[in-house]
Amino acid sequence: MTRWYEGPLAAFDTETTGVDVEGDRIVSAALVVQDMAGARPRVTRWLIDPGVPVPPAATEIHGLTDDFLHRNGRWPAPAVEEMARALAEQCAAGRPLVVMNAPFDLTLLDRELRRHRASSLGRHLENVPLCVLDPRVLDKHLDRYRKGRRTLTDLCVQYGVELEGAHDAAADALASLELVRAVGRRFASRMERLSAAELHALQAVWHAAQARGLQAWFSRNGTEESVDPAWPLRPEVPAAAA
């Protein structure tokens, strides 16, 4: 029987105007689908004119300028609808969905759907079995005592995964996909008896514990930042609290 980390996977990634899932916007996204380890990936890309200025700090990261997006980007509403349908199709086909730091990308897509379509990601996924694999959560649980940062770039170095063109959505999605395979292989003795669906459920528990640990660290160091324990999608913030 093919182990989940050698079988079919899909990966999703976004580039954005910033890091606030409630207020920032998607400027590009990609879905990478691979039928088995080593197979040629199929890539779908989206480029969006977000309708708001792209801060210079964000452009410095992903290279997408206001002028370029105005000339080449699509209107957000149909694009985010297509993204949500594409993710639902992958879930319906039984492909685990790899998303690095899933609560960021998936929540941002959810908020864009609410903003532009009066819809939600949950509505698109309500009739399909959602199975997310988050390399950040997996690595942090399986190698919890390792020192150092756990960004995509850092993890790719740690696991020997090639990342060409970081902060391009397709490049990051493909690297995340290969990273999950590498994590599975490195910790095969602990992972091979678990299905991807079982891992999805476990990651929600692991992420919540990781969030509590980070929140406690912030508190000890006098930092007021709040850490959301929800995974893989944060609940909608009530209007009065937004």
Side-chain angles (χ1 to χ4, degrees), residues 102-103 107 204 207-208 211 227-235:
T107 303
H207 179 270
V227 184
D228 196 319
W231 183 95
L233 180 67
R234 297 176 188 171

Side-chain angles (χ1 to χ4, degrees), residues 15 25 32 75 103 107 113 133 150 154 159 192 199 216 224:
E15 296 299 326
R25 312 296 176 90
V32 174
W75 182 244
T107 303
L113 288 162
L133 299 171
R150 298 178 195 251
D154 296 318
Y159 287 89
E192 61 185 358
L199 273 175
E224 296 183 359

Side-chain angles (χ1 to χ4, degrees), residues 103 134 136-137 140-141 200-216 227-232:
D134 186 333
R136 186 172 183 271
V137 175
K140 198 168 184 179
H141 176 78
H200 174 92
L202 286 169
Q203 285 169 104
V205 177
W206 296 344
H207 179 270
Q210 293 163 10
R212 289 194 296 271
L214 183 57
Q215 189 71 73
V227 184
D228 196 319
W231 183 95

Side-chain angles (χ1 to χ4, degrees), residues 95-156:
R95 289 190 188 90
L97 188 63
V98 177
V99 189
M100 174 72 181
N101 192 14
F104 178 79
D105 292 82
L106 296 184
T107 303
L108 193 59
L109 176 56
D110 175 77
R111 303 312 193 251
E112 289 279 58
L113 288 162
R114 294 175 188 274
R115 183 178 295 118
H116 296 289
R117 284 299 208 198
S119 182
S120 69
L121 186 56
R123 189 175 302 174
H124 284 273
L125 300 176
E126 60 187 354
N127 295 317
V128 296
L130 178 62
C131 179
V132 175
L133 299 171
D134 186 333
R136 186 172 183 271
V137 175
L138 291 172
D139 171 75
K140 198 168 184 179
H141 176 78
L142 294 165
D143 199 359
R144 68 182 70 184
Y145 300 113
R146 191 183 76 247
K147 302 293 185 181
R149 293 165 14 117
R150 298 178 195 251
T151 67
L152 178 60
T153 300
D154 296 318
L155 292 183
C156 284

Side-chain angles (χ1 to χ4, degrees), residues 24 26 44 76 83 122 240:
D24 279 307
I26 297 172
T44 303
M83 292 177 207

